[in-house]
Amino acid sequence: MSLAAKSLLLVAALALAACNNPDRYGAGGAGGAGGAGGMGGAGIDTTGLGDPNNPTSIAYFNQRVGDRVLFAVDQSTLSPEARQILTAQAQWLNQNPGYAAIIEGHADEQGTREYNLALGARRAAAVQNFLISQGVAASRMRTISYGKERPIEVCSEEACYAKNRRAVTVLSAGAGV
């Protein structure tokens, strides 16, 4: 086998390995624990996120407190409903200092990739700034924008677009992110 063929085979293997990430959407992405699925019967943890009835578990945060807020078209301004959810998130985070958070900013499929990445970044920053204003240490959080790359609904209707215009707070154990 020639050197070029070996190199091509190696690059192909690495590319396939990069695609094989079972947590590629994180807890807040498609089919992740931040969505409707993922939990077994009541009180049974099949995801590693803890018991949804335990007020200090990630599952409780995701399901009872709320791990996401939604935005209007082309907006990164927090709605009153978003502020209510984020106030509850801040209270939970302040009571559970052992958790860190990644705030994911998302956009719907309308617009260019670059525009939506910037919009997702503004949405994540708006959430982070609100949580900081509520006393959550900035050192416990970081932001990332996925733009339109990780939709939870795929269709060309407003109902789908509305679900994709979001910021998701993804928790992890450990105060540093």
Side-chain angles (χ1 to χ4, degrees), residues 122-138:
R122 289 193 304 274
R123 289 173 174 167
V127 168
Q128 182 183 37
N129 290 336
F130 185 87
L131 292 173
I132 290 169
S133 78
Q134 299 296 305
V136 180

Side-chain angles (χ1 to χ4, degrees), residues 60-176:
Y60 182 93
F61 177 88
N62 291 348
Q63 294 178 19
R64 306 267 175 92
V65 175
D67 66 342
R68 66 194 63 211
V69 294
L70 301 176
F71 292 88
V73 177
D74 295 329
Q75 296 295 311
S76 58
T77 304
L78 297 170
S79 68
E81 295 84 11
R83 289 177 178 275
Q84 183 178 4
I85 292 168
L86 293 174
T87 298
Q89 283 187 12
Q91 289 172 350
W92 191 94
L93 286 164
N94 286 328
Q95 292 170 357
N96 296 280
Y99 290 97
I102 298 173
I103 301 162
E104 301 176 340
H106 299 270
D108 61 34
E109 67 185 58
Q110 302 173 95
T112 66
R113 182 176 188 271
E114 293 76 17
Y115 176 80
N116 284 321
L117 282 170
L119 180 58
R122 289 193 304 274
R123 289 173 174 167
V127 168
Q128 182 183 37
N129 290 336
F130 185 87
L131 292 173
I132 290 169
S133 78
Q134 299 296 305
V136 180
S139 62
R140 293 175 59 197
M141 298 179 282
R142 74 177 178 90
T143 62
I144 187 166
S145 176
Y146 291 113
K148 62 182 179 178
E149 303 303 319
R150 293 185 176 187
I152 56 174
E153 293 284 338
V154 180
C155 73
S156 296
E157 298 175 9
E158 177 55 30
C160 295
Y161 294 152
K163 292 177 185 176
N164 292 328
R165 295 189 297 261
R166 68 197 191 281
V168 181
T169 304
V170 181
L171 299 179
S172 63

Side-chain angles (χ1 to χ4, degrees), residues 11-21:
V11 168
L14 289 174
L16 284 174
C19 292
N20 189 20
N21 182 355

